[in-house]
Amino acid sequence: MLEITSIKKGIVIDHIKPGMGLKIFEYLKLDKADYTVAFIMNASSKKYGRKDIIKIENTLDIDLNVLGFLDPNITVNIIENEKIIDKIKLAMPEYVEDIIKCKNPRCITTVEREITHRFKLVDEQNATYKCVYCDHIYKWE
Amino acid sequence: MLKGRSLVDPEDFTLEELESIFELTKKIIENEKDFNDICHGKILATLFYEPSTRTRFSFEAAMLRLGGQVIGFSEPGSSSVAKGESLADTLRTVGAYADIIAMRHPNEGAPIHGLKYCPVPLINAGDGGHQHPTQTLTDLFTILDAHKRLNNLTIGCCGDLKFGRTVHSLLKAMSRYENVDFVLISPHELQIPDYLKEDLKRKNIKFQEEERLENVIDKLDVLYMTRVQKERFFNEADYVRLKDSYILDLEKLKNAKENLAILHPLPRVNEIKIEVDDDKRAWYFKQVKNGMFVRMGLIIKLLGVR
């Protein structure tokens, strides 16, 4: 079995649904990171059967808000001295930027250059966001 | 304080701020001469990325009657937009020449994006099928004119409620007043967009959806008519079945209240029969004139010249 050693200090993003890990890797721009990152796919999981895991070493300065948008069931552990010192409870962020695009073909985001795709949370229970420009509803599924 | 502010969404201003615009508008109507030089030396730019005669003329007439001047374009082909200039750059540039900008744009949310770049007050003169807040100021002022109140009203909106931005803005604006109910009369295909429906539900606003005007006309204090175009129907059978239901005539009005106010953003095609024009409940031509006066009030407030 493949073994990835524990980290001394950093962040462990755990219980990622299998297949979602790569997307998170991209959203967090970890492909451009200058610190050590381990990306584990299809690890065995009691909860899901299979899961993805991301381990980020020696940095704690990452905006993890997007994880709450992608899947609030993901767990995020903060590690110091090889121990979990904090578990971050994820919530759906009030705004998400440049993660999803508006599907309204008449929206200004479809034509204007270098525009930020921005959505506001309008209904947490139903994971509903709306485009801040045209109000088009986006339901995360 | 409205000086220096912009208007892109009907909810941008508080009810008190709206009231202050309406108060000023009343004063302008009562004594227009007092205001005919108030914007001397000021320039309004009208950027119309899609054709409009009514709204553009209304803005331009408003500024000219206030003693100001007007620059702009009425279709983007004759401007730098045709060369591929971004909206952000156009607004930054025109904002260097003008004191205030009124913009119509085919893309929804364009004015919200524009706000980040526009150095002077920006007025949304219609963005796609989204919002049309100055038409809403006109509509609210006309309802106030007709009923002397903006609360305790049942408002019927009839026609194309899906693509009709004037209806979207009216619903947003009127749902802020107490005890206002809506009756939304349209074919199924042309009901209001989901985001508006969810918005009304969230705010606990009472609304009823109905296919036929004749079934509900007796309940209404305000009837807001819009045009239903044949091409908006998904099939010919529905069009034939329902088309007459969205045409207002004196026969339908027999069952309406005596003090019903009939509004229409215009232009009208055949959805209100000409025979209705002389009925005292027809407010749509007064609404047109109110539109110019209310825009005069808005320009004065945003420029802070009074």
Side-chain angles (χ1 to χ4, degrees), chain B residues 201-216:
Chain B
K201 284 179 192 163
R202 251 196 313 279
K203 291 174 182 164
N204 288 322
I205 307 290
K206 260 177 40 188
F207 69 97
Q208 170 193 346
E209 293 187 294
E210 172 62 49
E211 267 200 339
R212 289 184 180 275
L213 175 58
E214 50 271 42
N215 291 349
V216 288

Side-chain angles (χ1 to χ4, degrees), chain A residues 104-108 110-116 122-123 128 132-137 139, chain B residues 84-88 105-110 112-113 116 130-131 163 172 194-195 198 202:
Chain A
N104 174 8
R106 297 179 303 276
C107 181
I108 184 65
T110 62
V111 293
E112 184 77 349
R113 294 188 297 271
E114 293 183 34
I115 189 167
T116 305
V122 287
D123 182 352
T128 307
V132 298
Y133 302 100
C134 72
D135 291 314
H136 198 74
I137 294 284
K139 282 190 178 166
Chain B
E85 185 175 54
S86 69
L87 176 63
H105 202 282
N107 289 109
E108 297 169 9
I112 293 172
H113 173 60
K116 273 190 278 184
H130 189 217
Q131 299 292 340
F163 298 100
K172 260 185 136 178
D194 288 346
Y195 82 86
E198 304 226 352
R202 251 196 313 279

Side-chain angles (χ1 to χ4, degrees), chain B residues 54-123:
Chain B
R54 192 168 318 275
T55 306
R56 185 167 59 86
F57 282 176
S58 180
F59 269 109
E60 294 183 357
M63 191 54 162
L64 294 172
R65 280 172 183 258
L66 293 170
Q69 289 177 296
V70 180
I71 57 173
F73 56 78
S74 54
E75 47 99 19
S78 60
S79 75
S80 54
V81 176
K83 296 173 190 161
E85 185 175 54
S86 69
L87 176 63
D89 283 2
T90 302
L91 288 173
R92 273 191 279 227
T93 307
V94 176
Y97 309 141
D99 300 287
I100 187 165
I101 295 174
M103 178 177 78
R104 169 164 291 184
H105 202 282
N107 289 109
E108 297 169 9
I112 293 172
H113 173 60
L115 274 183
K116 273 190 278 184
Y117 305 96
C118 190
V120 296
L122 176 65
I123 302 170

Side-chain angles (χ1 to χ4, degrees), chain B residues 160 163 189-190 227-236 239:
Chain B
D160 179 356
F163 298 100
E189 297 90 329
L190 297 178
R227 187 156 53 103
V228 174
Q229 291 156 282
K230 187 179 175 182
E231 56 272 27
R232 300 281 199 212
F233 280 85
F234 290 163
N235 63 67
E236 179 81 18
Y239 176 70

